[in-house]
Amino acid sequence: MANQEDIFKKVVSHAKEYGFIFPSSEIYDGLGAVYDYGQLGTELKNNIKQYWWKAMVQYHENIVGIDSAIFMHPKIWKASGHVDAFNDPLIDNKDSKKRYRADVLIEDHIAKIEDKIKKECDKAHKRFGDAFNREQFVSTNPRVLEHQKQIDEIHEKYAELMNANDLAGLKQLILDLGIVCPISGTRNWTDVRQFNLMFATKMGSVEGENDTLYLRPETAQGIFVNFLNVQKSGRMKIPFGIAQIGKAFRNEIVARQFIFRMREFEQMEMQFFVRPGTELEWFRHWKEERLNWHLALGIPADKYRFHDHEKLAHYANAATDIEFEFPFGFKELEGIHSRTDFDLSRHSEFSGKKLQYFDSELNENYTPYVIETSIGVDRTFLAIFSHALKEETLEDGSTRTLLSLPPVLAPYKAAILPLVKKDGLPERAREIMDSLKYDFMLQYDEKDAIGRRYRRQDAIGTPFCITVDNDTLEGKGVTVRERDSMKQERIPVEKLNTYLHEHIKPIQVN
Ligand code: GAP
């Protein structure tokens, strides 16, 4: 795999070839930025959701989950600010007729400069070997310092323009940075305009101004408007959280990078309600806790970084993104926001219902402050899948395609493979499968030579292959082959259940 673009192409084609992700409506030539999950993709996606749900709801006594409707009262989106302000700044290139997000053009430009820094570091690392000190290098190397200065200046200007909603200024910045259209290569840009991202539809048969509904652009508002219902019916005491997994819809203008930016996607969001004044402490808590959730999957820590927001929404007093190094660079995977009492106050104002909490310890009523953690299911899928996909050259010079998914997320936990299709081995293999299938997703495969069957399981990320041979018939256990190391060990059949449970757990991070 030569470069990042090739790696990304390989990710997309592997996902399709093995039944993880298909373009939506493919036989009708597809639908832009909409995808279907296939038989293995659905398993992986469900496992991601379960891993999140367990970590957030099951492991926290003070967090409960809900499932609110996609359709909500249209006033909700007025109150939340989405009708007036859920916009992207758009710009068109007059030559290619292609449309871009102005902010994304600038961020991509910054990413290119960041890439130059990375290349300088890689070069120096090669030259100095183990003696290379990255921190020292980036704080002293003149070329790196110059690049960093450029980045800081662009960031500062960009944040200032976005905060002031200065669309003319954004266009000027794009011109000043010499940003060209990737298709036409020209700087022939239109003015920047705002474009609302919500999909609108109608309810009922009579059309009118007030019957416009929106497909929810985030799941969070379903939590806010149910705050009192949950708090009262669950007798929840602050601090407490409400979690939800569900579909969200955004009419993304720049729909590219596969499932990174979709028009229909899924979010896993949690709103944590706290006493006013304690929110920044809780913000730090959730930053750490959410990063640990990612690290427990065993993906190296240097694939993640925090990106604190320069442009804070007017209602937020702290915000950060957990970014992941996708094949196209570091990009947002999850957002953690301290949203103050903005949402509950606005819904109180627009609904006329008081959304407050009586704190018996303080003997006072207040509107709780909120820390939000918000992560895309599909983006998590892409992060994990793209990191897992590898081409390996083995000792004998042959190659294998390996999908080294974290075992807890893998679609199948094990494959049950009779060594040959005779001598009673398939029957014994089926018995073993039946004894394990209520606890684990398993695949049975008896076709082709064992080596080819191993390769097939490697390519779909199955962490363990359980081979049943003649010794198994004599009560001498089975061979268990571990996917990444390809090491094999003999395990008694009655210990298989415990063995698999032990080996598919996420790793413990603090
Ligand atoms: N309630 C806050 C909120 O929705 P956001 O940063 O707009 O915040 C949260 O979205 C997460 O949802 C993102 O970090 C990303 O993982 C995911 N997400 C947002 N837009 C997406 C899209 N168009 N396609 C796929 N995932 C998306």
Side-chain angles (χ1 to χ4, degrees):
M1 282 187 255
N3 57 38
Q4 294 195 325
E5 210 170 297
D6 288 344
I7 293 172
F8 197 47
K9 274 192 192 147
K10 177 87 186 148
V11 166
V12 177
S13 70
H14 193 85
K16 181 162 183 241
E17 187 182 342
Y18 287 90
F20 284 91
I21 299 173
F22 307 126
S24 160
S25 325
E26 195 184 8
I27 58 171
Y28 290 94
D29 294 335
L31 187 65
V34 186
Y35 291 89
D36 296 337
Y37 284 83
Q39 63 280 17
L40 292 189
T42 304
E43 294 298 334
L44 174 51
K45 196 180 182 209
N46 283 343
N47 291 343
I48 291 172
K49 290 193 272 188
Q50 197 189 55
Y51 174 57
W52 185 86
W53 193 265
K54 278 193 174 173
M56 301 302 274
V57 180
Q58 187 175 327
Y59 303 163
H60 288 98
E61 278 174 42
N62 60 348
I63 300 182
V64 290
I66 64 164
D67 186 7
S68 70
I70 288 173
F71 287 142
M72 291 197 270
H73 196 288
K75 262 195 187 171
I76 286 172
W77 306 112
K78 259 300 208 199
S80 68
H82 283 82
V83 170
D84 297 319
F86 194 51
N87 299 319
D88 272 350
L90 278 194
I91 190 164
D92 291 31
N93 183 270
K94 293 181 192 166
D95 299 318
S96 67
K97 309 271 186 278
K98 285 277 170 205
R99 184 160 287 177
Y100 299 91
R101 266 173 59 179
D103 56 331
V104 171
L105 283 180
I106 295 166
E107 274 165 17
D108 283 352
H109 183 82
I110 292 172
K112 277 187 195 145
I113 309 175
E114 280 173 342
D115 207 37
K116 286 185 190 166
I117 295 181
K118 188 170 180 291
K119 281 198 180 120
E120 292 286 353
C121 288
D122 290 348
K123 242 173 32 193
H125 196 174
K126 249 194 201 152
R127 202 166 57 233
F128 297 117
D130 286 346
F132 177 66
N133 179 334
R134 192 178 190 284
E135 224 164 275
Q136 193 190 3
F137 181 75
V138 296
S139 58
T140 52
N141 180 277
R143 274 190 305 276
V144 171
L145 288 175
E146 182 52 38
H147 291 320
Q148 193 54 50
K149 184 163 160 264
Q150 254 180 317
I151 292 173
D152 294 343
E153 282 170 4
I154 301 171
H155 263 308
E156 198 182 326
K157 182 80 191 156
Y158 164 60
E160 189 185 302
L161 295 168
M162 291 290 275
N163 276 328
N165 199 17
D166 181 349
L167 301 184
L170 273 180
K171 176 177 178 181
Q172 195 52 51
L173 182 59
I174 288 172
L175 293 173
D176 292 347
L177 294 175
I179 295 177
V180 297
C181 165
I183 309 283
S184 67
T186 71
R187 294 172 202 182
N188 196 5
W189 296 110
T190 62
D191 288 343
V192 179
R193 301 175 313 288
Q194 292 289 19
F195 175 84
N196 193 287
L197 296 181
M198 282 196 295
F199 283 103
T201 185
K202 298 277 179 197
M203 184 173 248
S205 56
V206 188
E207 291 206 1
E209 253 280 291
N210 296 326
D211 55 12
T212 297
L213 292 188
Y214 297 101
L215 296 186
R216 64 180 180 199
E218 61 172 18
T219 59
Q221 297 305 322
I223 294 179
F224 289 124
V225 297
N226 278 298
F227 165 73
L228 268 192
N229 282 337
V230 174
Q231 192 272 316
K232 289 202 180 311
S233 61
R235 294 181 296 134
M236 307 300 292
K237 283 211 167 352
I238 270 180
F240 75 90
I242 307 178
Q244 166 157 238
I245 299 179
K247 289 264 177 160
F249 304 83
R250 296 183 189 178
N251 196 1
E252 298 284 359
I253 309 125
V254 188
R256 55 189 166 121
Q257 290 159 333
F258 195 33
I259 56 167
F260 181 80
R261 201 178 298 286
M262 304 158 90
R263 297 204 166 101
E264 175 182 339
F265 59 100
E266 230 171 332
Q267 288 185 316
M268 307 187 279
E269 299 200 294
M270 193 277 299
Q271 315 292 323
F272 199 70
F273 301 92
V274 303
R275 260 184 205 165
T278 64
E279 72 276 9
L280 292 180
E281 211 177 293
W282 280 110
F283 175 73
R284 285 190 289 276
H285 168 88
W286 281 109
K287 257 180 91 165
E288 188 184 326
E289 183 136 348
R290 291 304 305 147
L291 183 63
N292 285 346
W293 180 86
H294 292 278
L295 297 179
L297 290 172
I299 296 174
D302 65 0
K303 293 291 246 176
Y304 298 90
R305 70 180 187 195
F306 284 116
H307 171 234
D308 296 330
H309 287 204
E310 279 114 49
K311 184 199 175 211
L312 282 181
H314 59 280
Y315 51 82
N317 62 5
T320 195
D321 293 335
I322 296 178
E323 293 187 336
F324 183 80
E325 192 176 18
F326 289 94
F328 38 82
F330 271 101
K331 297 274 180 212
E332 175 187 342
L333 175 58
E334 170 158 9
I336 301 159
H337 314 117
S338 172
R339 300 178 68 113
T340 67
D341 60 354
F342 174 80
D343 303 86
L344 289 181
S345 300
R346 291 278 288 189
H347 287 305
S348 284
E349 190 189 319
F350 278 68
S351 66
K353 308 280 182 326
K354 215 167 160 191
L355 300 179
Q356 289 207 324
Y357 173 79
F358 177 71
D359 192 322
S360 53
E361 274 175 38
L362 300 179
N363 201 23
E364 69 178 64
N365 267 309
Y366 55 76
T367 308
Y369 272 40
V370 171
I371 306 301
E372 166 183 76
T373 72
S374 175
I375 177 168
V377 178
D378 315 270
R379 231 172 249 193
T380 308
F381 187 114
L382 182 60
I384 290 164
F385 191 87
S386 57
H387 175 72
L389 187 61
K390 300 171 179 108
E391 290 284 350
E392 270 189 3
T393 305
L394 304 178
E395 273 174 17
D396 64 2
S398 65
T399 58
R400 70 163 177 164
T401 301
L402 173 67
L403 193 64
S404 63
L405 294 171
V408 66
L409 302 181
Y412 294 114
K413 303 305 179 215
I416 311 284
L417 315 171
L419 189 61
V420 288
K421 237 190 326 186
K422 54 181 188 183
D423 302 339
L425 297 188
E427 291 75 11
R428 183 69 186 117
R430 287 276 180 203
E431 276 170 20
I432 293 173
M433 173 126 173
D434 284 345
S435 71
L436 296 171
K437 73 179 182 193
Y438 298 103
D439 289 341
F440 307 101
M441 273 296 286
L442 303 173
Q443 192 172 59
Y444 177 85
D445 190 4
E446 59 179 24
K447 203 170 166 280
D448 297 326
I450 193 75
R452 287 184 71 176
R453 282 183 270 164
Y454 285 158
R455 291 288 170 277
R456 276 204 291 272
Q457 297 301 330
D458 289 345
I460 61 171
T462 308
F464 300 101
C465 284
I466 297 172
T467 305
V468 175
D469 55 24
N470 286 310
D471 285 347
T472 312
L473 300 183
E474 290 170 21
K476 293 189 189 148
V478 287
T479 302
V480 177
R481 170 191 182 266
E482 196 276 327
R483 177 195 63 201
D484 297 354
S485 63
M486 295 185 289
K487 285 212 175 96
Q488 306 196 2
E489 58 182 315
R490 206 76 194 170
I491 305 282
V493 173
E494 58 283 5
K495 296 235 165 98
L496 274 176
N497 195 306
T498 315
Y499 179 93
L500 289 177
H501 272 299
E502 283 292 309
H503 287 80
I504 62 176
K505 278 195 310 219
I507 59 172
Q508 204 65 37
V509 183
N510 311 326

